Amino acid sequence: MPAKLIDGKALAATIKEDIKKEVEGLKSKHKMTPKLVSVQVGENPSSEVYLKSQRKNAEDLGIDYHIEKLAEEASQDDLVRAIDKLNKDKGVNGIIVQMPLPSHIDAKSVPRYILPAKDVEAVHPQNMGEIVFGNAKVLPCTAVACMEILDSIEGLKLYGKEAVVVGHSEIVGKPLALLLLNRFVTTTVCHIATGERGDLPEFVKKAEILIVAVGKAGLVKGEWIKQGAIVIDVGINRVEGKLVGDVEFEKAQERASYITPVPGGVGPLTVAMLMRNLVEAFKIQKSEDRRQKKSDL
Ligand code: NAD
């Protein structure tokens, strides 16, 4: 029997219903509309899809959305100043710095300038660190989207399962490995060096849960998939004008029990998780305000 398709769009729609209700409640309680700001330096076609999706999702949920555009030639100091202004603006609840940034900016250093309480992509080292302790209130969107997908599978018990994550980026592979570990999943992380040694098939074959986030079309061959495995394909690649993932979809579908399509799998959930983080950030800021007011009395 071919694997069941996991419908990320439908799952995202259900989650968004809950977020929408929560946003309505927060608006009437605080007489304020949550606001998300995306900072974009220069124009990058690869960011456009994500920006469009952010705007659409924000609008659907009654969240204010604004893109703060900086010129391509803006310096690192200009960017830091723009972030700082948003950090101090009480009307702004969430800040995203859109990647990729122009090469003259040190992209790795940028997350630490975002106020942790407004860091809705959970890229600040403080928010990343909280994941280690299982205390994080906001979580990296794509990593938590993968967990959400696993949790949507009826009857699946994660405890003791064997997972393989292919890709060890700061935004997906590494935080995802920690989230899996926090749920007592036995987790192996593979990366470029695993691939270069030719060891990838051996690891993938053992995976009861396989999550691939690399960005290379067809990297994971269908015949490597363990019979009955759950396959989450995070990769987005454009091949002959079509979007495809990192896993050979048709062949993998013959062996897996569940599989996410590309597009329509992880992508829609990632944006839903961003909006959920924004709501969380709004609540954190409001409770900090209350604490501040009390200590001022
Ligand atoms: P990245 O580009 O930062 O890192 C790629 C990772 O793949 C690295 O860990 C690298 O070591 C590993 N890798 C490269 N070649 C390999 C090989 N031959 N064998 C094994 N590992 C190899 O990755 P990223 O930013 O996490 O993005 C990965 C993919 O996921 C991209 O296609 C990106 O577009 C996609 N993505 C999708 C979403 C979504 O919402 N669906 C979100 C984020 C990223």
Side-chain angles (χ1 to χ4, degrees), residues 17-124:
E17 278 306 309
D18 292 340
I19 301 174
K20 195 171 177 182
K21 280 186 206 131
E22 199 165 7
V23 170
E24 279 162 14
L26 290 170
K27 276 180 172 177
S28 71
K29 184 174 171 193
H30 297 283
K31 309 281 171 266
M32 178 184 166
T33 302
K35 181 170 180 177
L36 174 62
V37 176
S38 239
V39 182
Q40 190 188 21
V41 186
E43 301 271 333
N44 192 308
S46 64
S47 320
E48 292 308 320
V49 181
Y50 192 36
L51 286 168
K52 234 173 101 181
S53 168
Q54 287 170 13
R55 181 180 296 285
K56 163 92 177 62
N57 275 266
E59 276 170 11
D60 288 351
L61 300 175
I63 290 168
D64 279 348
Y65 181 75
H66 170 71
I67 300 177
E68 185 75 26
K69 284 187 190 251
L70 271 66
E72 177 80 32
E73 342 40 274
S75 66
Q76 174 119 3
D77 283 349
D78 294 333
L79 175 59
V80 171
R81 265 194 297 275
I83 296 172
D84 200 44
K85 200 167 159 220
L86 296 169
N87 284 341
K88 289 181 178 134
D89 185 341
K90 286 269 179 205
V92 172
N93 308 103
I95 303 168
I96 302 172
V97 177
Q98 202 58 48
M99 300 289 167
L101 289 165
S103 56
H104 63 271
I105 291 176
D106 172 17
K108 281 221 175 203
S109 73
V110 168
R112 62 184 70 241
Y113 296 109
I114 304 172
L115 194 70
K118 294 190 179 185
D119 170 31
V120 285
E121 288 193 308
V123 287
H124 188 286

Side-chain angles (χ1 to χ4, degrees), residues 142 167-169 171-172 191-192 195 213-216 219 234-236 267 270:
T142 310
H168 76 324
S169 68
I171 58 162
V172 189
H191 40 67
I192 183 86
V214 172
K216 289 185 180 162
L219 174 76
V234 180
I236 303 175
T270 295

